[in-house]
Amino acid sequence: MASVTDPAAPAAAPATPPSGVGQIAADAQSPEMTDGFHLVIDALKLNGIDTIFGLPGIPITDLTRKAQAAGLRVISFRHEQNAGYAASIAGFMTQRPGICLTVSAPGFLNGLTALANATTNCFPMILISGSSEREVVDLQQGDYEEMDQLAIAKPLCKAAFRVLHAEDIGVGIARAIRAAVSGRPGGVYLDLPAKLFPQAVEAEAGRKSLIKVVDPAPRQIPAQDAVQRALELLKGAKRPLILLGKGAAYAQADADIRALVERTGIPYLPMSMAKGLLPDTHEQSAAAARSYVLPAADVVMLIGARLNWLLSHGKGKTWGGKGSKDWGGQKFIQVDISPQEADSNVRIDAPVVGDIGSCVSALLAGIGPGWAKPPADWLGAIAERRNKNVAKMAETLARNPSPMNFHSALNVVRDIVKANPDAMLVNEGANALDFTRSIVDMYKPRKRLDVGTWGVMGIGMGFSVAAAVMSGQPVIAIEGDSAFGFSGMEVETICRYNLPVCVVILNNNGVYRGDEVNPTGGRDPSPLVFVKGARYEMLMEAFGGVGVKATTPAELRRAMEDAIASRRPTLVNAVIDEGAGTESGRITALNPTAKKK
Ligand SMILES: Cc1ncc(C[n+]2csc(CCOP(=O)(O)OP(=O)(O)O)c2C)c(N)n1
Ligand SMILES: [Mg+2]
């Protein structure tokens, strides 16, 4: 909402001196005053929060201004969903709750998908939304943007709070922070009604009401007997396997996790966002032999990974079970912060409950120096498959078809990421996601940010903005052309803040592929295809960034190298074969109509 039509707070709020954050000028007689706006800002700052992702409008317009005036970084988006995704991934990267700030009803709802996605993915985030007048909303009298936001948010997040009195802002923000980051992290909703912001409070009382949260994510130490049970199981294994999930990446226990893998000598598989926890080129990585190790392993240790659909629920054919629901016979050790996670899909023989850092260090302490490496035949069988698959992939990558396909384009991206291991990689799409995940090696932890547990489209530009803002590193966003469309307008945001983001659209003219036709022969195109030959690069040029159309790997390479070197916002429209791609990428089998041709 433009500020001209926004009667927001200034009129209602006490007069504020331009630089007087946290203090409101007072005449000689009256005490120094503050208000809801300043208490929210002061509470966030007191807790080390320095960035807000949001979109202004009634009733939070002035909050965004005052936050910026107070030295917070306020990143203003074109759509709240993208601000929400940005906040959530900032939370993943930093272990501090990412803040998304929205207006009431529609702005709140736009942010809600990101909040739910954050909760599903265990990203700590706080969605702060302004809301309309309680007494009007509750009587359903038709207020401006009327909605009972707290009730709607509740089932979609870890916790939801509302603050009605300025004196309670400190408690509200403290509770939101603790809920977001303690235990299993997740999304939190904080409802701030319009009337709260201009409420005046004596400055001294206001200051005293704020809470600096002590130890917001307390360590949770695993029980010693649980650790012993896990180690016994691991010790007896003939074909052990470690699975690293994004919980392991979130934990920032990188050195201990690497030590655990290396000292036990156990092969490991990284889940998508755990890639780079150890470099993907590590000799113990079994990623290139995934379909062999899952059914063949006898003991599997899950570290911060859940046995959800991404791991075929720990059973069925992927795991060597006969039918789709049959157990493959593996024993599982599960290291997880949530005691409720174990047995969610199959029996967990050794749950180790605690924060990943504490659990891994306890496991390491229990291992000692005399640990025997896994049997050589297991390691040899994996190495054989891995080498074969790596050689096969190298052959595919070396081909240079015209037009480009996913492989020849991603071969370039693979080289660029190898040369720039500190760069952040954002990735979404179907084929564009699956091929990137398997082709592009990661070398450092928490560099790969993607669609996560839901496989949600739309995270691209929000994640890219946050990745650039929070890390200061160049960002490479590998996007399907459909995926990009969900957040494409944020290229303006990328240009406005002059962020070092290089968007590469793997453009095959459609969802999964671009060669489908309307079976009736009618005028409408297939629901799966887009305008052919779309010039996505012009979108970036429209806002002053660099746009490049690349039809060969050499053009793509040059454009990406230039983008990384210049740090200028860049969009490369990488035109690839519109027939290259399969329905839903690697998860065709989940698609109920895919078999009915
Ligand atoms: C929010 C949301 N809407 C819809 C989908 C379904 N979906 C999965 S992948 C995808 C797009 C795939 O096309 P593209 O991004 O161009 O990737 P490609 O396979 O063509 O490389 C869609 C629409 C989703 N995952 N999330
Ligand atoms: Mg596509």
Side-chain angles (χ1 to χ4, degrees):
M1 173 121 347
S3 59
V4 271
T5 61
D6 186 346
T16 307
S19 62
V21 172
Q23 288 154 17
I24 293 192
D27 59 39
Q29 288 83 24
S30 53
E32 187 194 355
M33 299 297 285
T34 187
D35 64 12
F37 285 111
H38 294 97
L39 288 170
V40 170
I41 293 161
D42 292 347
L44 292 173
K45 284 181 77 174
L46 184 66
N47 284 289
I49 287 163
D50 55 11
T51 308
I52 293 175
F53 304 94
L55 202 160
I58 295 171
I60 50 92
T61 309
D62 221 27
L63 187 62
T64 63
R65 278 194 201 105
K66 288 183 161 78
Q68 187 171 56
L72 284 165
R73 188 127 199 238
V74 182
I75 308 292
S76 193
F77 283 73
R78 306 300 295 260
H79 190 293
E80 292 89 350
Q81 187 174 104
N82 306 316
Y85 287 138
S88 69
I89 209 66
F92 170 77
M93 291 169 69
T94 63
Q95 297 182 328
R96 287 207 174 135
I99 306 292
C100 175
L101 181 62
T102 80
V103 303
S104 31
F108 156 78
L109 287 173
N110 283 347
L112 206 52
T113 308
L115 185 71
N117 186 66
T119 307
T120 299
N121 282 279
C122 318
F123 299 154
M125 136 174 203
I126 304 173
L127 174 66
I128 302 180
S129 295
S131 57
S132 303
E133 297 314 324
R134 287 266 27 100
E135 48 272 58
V136 184
V137 172
D138 289 348
L139 278 170
Q140 298 182 30
Q141 294 174 306
D143 201 1
Y144 169 73
E145 296 190 348
E146 174 181 299
M147 176 173 276
D148 188 358
Q149 297 168 196
L150 187 70
I152 288 163
K154 257 182 195 158
L156 297 172
C157 59
K158 207 180 151 191
F161 306 103
R162 176 184 290 139
V163 181
L164 292 178
H165 301 292
E167 297 84 349
D168 294 329
I169 285 171
V171 169
I173 294 210
R175 300 213 72 194
I177 290 172
R178 280 199 188 278
V181 299
S182 63
R184 172 172 282 179
V188 174
Y189 176 60
L190 187 62
D191 193 83
L192 303 183
K195 270 190 186 166
L196 177 76
F197 297 112
Q199 278 179 30
V201 178
E202 280 190 24
E204 178 59 16
R207 258 193 298 276
K208 283 190 181 149
S209 72
L210 300 185
I211 294 174
K212 184 172 164 57
V213 177
V214 176
D215 195 13
R219 283 192 304 156
Q220 289 177 224
I221 315 290
Q224 205 44 49
D225 56 336
V227 172
Q228 274 316 315
R229 191 189 295 123
L231 287 174
E232 287 307 315
L233 196 54
L234 210 52
K235 219 176 267 177
K238 297 205 165 49
R239 296 179 306 282
L241 177 69
I242 293 176
L243 267 172
L244 301 172
K246 66 176 166 318
Y250 176 80
Q252 299 194 14
D254 309 332
D256 274 1
I257 288 169
R258 183 166 186 158
L260 181 70
V261 171
E262 290 183 342
R263 269 202 242 156
T264 58
I266 297 174
Y268 74 95
L269 278 181
M271 298 302 288
S272 192
M273 282 177 63
K275 274 165 70 75
L277 211 38
L278 287 84
D280 280 334
T281 48
H282 197 283
E283 61 169 0
Q284 283 172 254
S285 170
R290 189 179 192 271
S291 60
Y292 169 69
V293 292
L294 291 182
D298 64 348
V299 175
V300 179
M301 179 157 73
L302 303 154
I303 304 181
R306 296 171 287 182
L307 282 176
N308 56 22
W309 72 278
L310 287 158
L311 284 170
S312 308
H313 305 282
K315 56 193 166 193
K317 292 199 171 136
T318 308
W319 293 87
K322 283 206 187 72
S324 67
K325 291 234 162 193
D326 292 336
W327 179 45
Q330 291 82 4
K331 300 218 179 250
F332 287 100
I333 299 164
Q334 184 155 37
V335 179
D336 201 285
I337 198 157
S338 168
Q340 293 176 56
E341 187 56 42
D343 304 334
S344 60
N345 286 273
V346 292
R347 184 178 71 221
I348 301 298
D349 299 274
V352 181
V353 175
D355 68 278
I356 304 280
S358 299
C359 291
V360 170
S361 90
L363 288 162
L364 262 180
I367 275 166
W371 186 273
K373 300 266 144 125
D377 58 345
W378 172 234
L379 301 181
I382 296 172
E384 192 190 315
R385 267 130 188 125
R386 189 183 58 215
N387 295 342
K388 209 164 86 193
N389 288 339
V390 166
K392 214 159 78 189
M393 177 63 91
E395 225 173 81
T396 312
L397 291 176
R399 287 194 204 115
N400 191 3
S402 179
M404 282 194 287
N405 62 10
F406 287 102
H407 290 88
S408 61
L410 287 168
N411 188 38
V412 172
V413 177
R414 175 184 162 98
D415 289 346
I416 301 277
V417 171
K418 185 174 183 182
N420 300 278
D422 286 312
M424 306 293 301
L425 184 79
V426 172
N427 189 200
E428 63 177 336
N431 295 280
L433 174 88
D434 292 338
F435 284 119
T436 305
R437 186 177 55 233
S438 59
I439 293 170
V440 178
D441 290 327
M442 304 305 298
Y443 299 87
K444 296 198 175 182
R446 292 172 298 284
K447 294 294 184 187
R448 189 186 150 84
L449 311 174
D450 69 28
V451 300
T453 313
W454 269 350
V456 66
M457 297 299 110
I459 49 90
M461 298 304 103
F463 276 17
S464 295
V465 168
V469 166
M470 303 312 283
S471 75
Q473 297 291 339
V475 177
I476 298 165
I478 306 299
E479 300 274 313
D481 52 328
S482 165
F484 173 75
F486 288 74
S487 66
M489 196 62 206
E490 302 297 346
V491 298
E492 190 277 331
T493 309
I494 289 168
C495 289
R496 183 162 24 103
Y497 291 92
N498 195 23
L499 299 173
V501 176
C502 174
V503 181
V504 176
I505 298 181
L506 297 177
N507 185 4
N508 62 355
N509 295 341
V511 177
Y512 313 134
R513 43 198 289 150
D515 57 358
E516 291 216 4
V517 293
N518 181 340
T520 70
R523 278 200 305 185
D524 285 351
S526 153
L528 292 144
V529 304
F530 300 135
V531 167
K532 290 195 190 299
R535 301 289 303 275
Y536 290 103
E537 72 279 13
M538 293 170 83
L539 196 56
M540 186 60 99
E541 286 171 355
F543 303 108
V546 178
V548 180
K549 180 178 167 191
T551 55
T552 65
E555 286 168 3
L556 175 59
R557 189 179 301 270
R558 212 173 111 198
M560 291 188 75
E561 282 171 354
D562 287 352
I564 300 247
S566 71
R567 293 177 67 93
R568 286 189 63 192
T570 300
L571 191 154
V572 188
N573 179 11
V575 179
I576 63 166
D577 185 351
E578 66 174 11
T582 56
E583 182 139 347
S584 307
R586 293 263 170 90
I587 51 173
T588 310
L590 293 182
N591 197 322
T593 63
K595 280 174 243 138
K596 278 203 277 164
K597 283 283 172 216

